[in-house]
Amino acid sequence: DKTVVAGLHDLNLAALYCDRLIIIQDGEVVLMGTPKEVLTPDNIYRVFGVKAEVYNLSNDRLTIVYMDANL
């Protein structure tokens, strides 16, 4: 029953270790929820401007693969 608040810029670490995420852009909360709710390809592109694919791991966590912008 402990809570840890961490500021992470690595979305894969956040997806692997966090139960809840808050994404802040320009000082405003733009997304909040579980990693599966927040870390979707559409949300990642909308907030970070990066194309990505999101995969479910066997431990029910996510991994994110960033796509080459030239593909």
Side-chain angles (χ1 to χ4, degrees):
D1 294 336
K2 294 182 182 177
T3 299
V4 174
V5 177
L8 301 172
H9 292 95
D10 185 323
L11 298 182
N12 277 302
L13 283 178
L16 187 60
Y17 292 109
C18 299
D19 297 320
R20 306 271 307 158
L21 300 175
I22 299 172
I23 294 184
I24 299 171
Q25 185 177 38
D26 298 324
E28 301 288 329
V29 173
V30 293
L31 296 166
M32 182 170 37
T34 67
K36 287 185 180 182
E37 293 168 338
V38 171
L39 298 177
T40 66
D42 288 339
N43 285 343
I44 293 169
Y45 186 76
R46 181 170 56 98
V47 174
F48 301 103
V50 176
K51 291 184 181 181
E53 292 185 15
V54 180
Y55 298 97
N56 288 307
L57 300 175
S58 60
N59 63 357
D60 204 36
R61 296 294 182 169
L62 305 175
T63 191
I64 301 162
V65 178
Y66 302 98
M67 308 307 294
D68 185 340
N70 297 321
L71 293 178

